Amino acid sequence: MYQLAIKKYLEEHGFEALRPRAVLFDMDGVLYDSMPNHAIAWQESMARFHIHMTAEDAYATEGARGVDTIRMMVRIQQQREITEAEAQKMYDEKSRLFHSLQEAPIMPGILELMAQIHEAGIQCGVVTGSGQRPLIQRILKDFGDYVDESHITTAYDVRRGKPNPDPYLVGLEKAGNLHPSQAIVVENAPLGIRAGVAARIFTIGVNTGPLPNDQLLQAGAHLLFPNMPALSAAWKHFDL
């Protein structure tokens, strides 16, 4: 199954081989089981600005820059445009609420997966729609054996966030100006999967949230796993 998915990807883009030199991970829902906290923070913070946001909205827009999500919600619900600076003030309130909640645990299976990748001589990078400094510091604390700051791409590295390819294109640059066929993306959300696919990178979906599998497959995931331990267990069978 895995080799068939890789073969289809290579044929689609006319690439000779998949020879990964980097694996680019999303953060929320991939490194950390943090999406339940984000859903709470989004709902409560946006209500203070008279914006109705559901948990489903939070999961469906995960991976996008927070300011872009807020501007979209204001446009849809209040029929007006706000500046990025205005959206940033609203996002700051969401961030404050998020950090007031209990710290989200490390996603089961992710450290085991990174260890395998590291042992194979492949570098690990992080590509997140967040730009919050405390979260970046936590990545370095929890995953410092595998990830350094020069390989973390945040919302402040791009003008266009996911689902545009820009974040993952920057991730390729930070990994050493790699060709798309020299990387793999690991994502849990439709917007992030679309971004990886748009960057022409082999993109693995891991459904760690409540969205149906079809949403991740329709976004273009080349492979789909039910959780991170399943991907970790399958990694050695990829024959990369």
Side-chain angles (χ1 to χ4, degrees), residues 9 15 18 20 169 172 178-184 196 199-202:
Y9 159 78
F15 296 155
L18 178 61
L169 294 176
L172 291 175
L178 300 183
H179 185 270
S181 65
Q182 294 176 306
I184 291 174
R200 301 189 302 156
I201 304 172
F202 188 80

Side-chain angles (χ1 to χ4, degrees), residues 61-230:
T61 58
E62 188 215 333
R65 296 195 314 158
V67 292
D68 292 338
T69 296
I70 290 169
R71 295 179 77 180
M72 177 190 71
M73 298 298 287
V74 170
R75 185 180 305 117
I76 291 172
Q77 295 190 22
Q78 298 182 356
Q79 292 78 50
R80 64 189 183 95
E81 296 288 340
I82 61 172
T83 65
E84 185 155 333
E86 290 176 283
Q88 183 64 54
K89 289 181 180 179
M90 297 166 72
Y91 184 65
D92 289 345
E93 176 64 10
K94 182 264 176 180
S95 298
R96 186 191 68 77
L97 280 170
F98 176 79
H99 288 294
S100 72
L101 300 172
Q102 185 174 0
E103 190 173 70
I106 293 174
M107 187 66 74
I110 184 62
L111 286 169
E112 293 82 357
L113 176 57
M114 281 191 173
Q116 292 184 75
I117 292 168
H118 182 72
E119 288 169 10
I122 300 171
Q123 58 187 308
C124 295
V126 177
V127 178
T128 174
S130 175
Q132 301 171 45
R133 191 64 198 172
L135 295 179
I136 306 308
Q137 291 297 336
R138 189 183 176 198
I139 291 174
L140 297 174
K141 174 175 68 74
D142 294 335
F143 302 99
D145 288 342
Y146 310 115
V147 180
D148 62 47
E149 189 161 3
S150 68
H151 290 80
I152 299 176
T153 302
T154 75
Y156 298 116
D157 289 309
V158 296
R159 294 194 64 181
R160 300 191 311 164
K162 303 172 186 178
N164 296 290
D166 307 37
Y168 281 109
L169 294 176
V170 172
L172 291 175
E173 291 177 10
K174 290 192 174 192
N177 293 313
L178 300 183
H179 185 270
S181 65
Q182 294 176 306
I184 291 174
V185 163
V186 179
E187 271 280 359
N188 72 306
L191 294 185
I193 289 171
R194 287 170 56 193
V197 171
R200 301 189 302 156
I201 304 172
F202 188 80
T203 300
I204 298 173
V206 184
N207 196 351
T208 60
L211 297 178
N213 286 339
D214 282 352
Q215 287 199 30
L216 276 64
L217 291 170
Q218 288 170 7
H222 298 105
L223 284 174
L224 182 64
F225 291 88
N227 50 50
M228 202 59 66

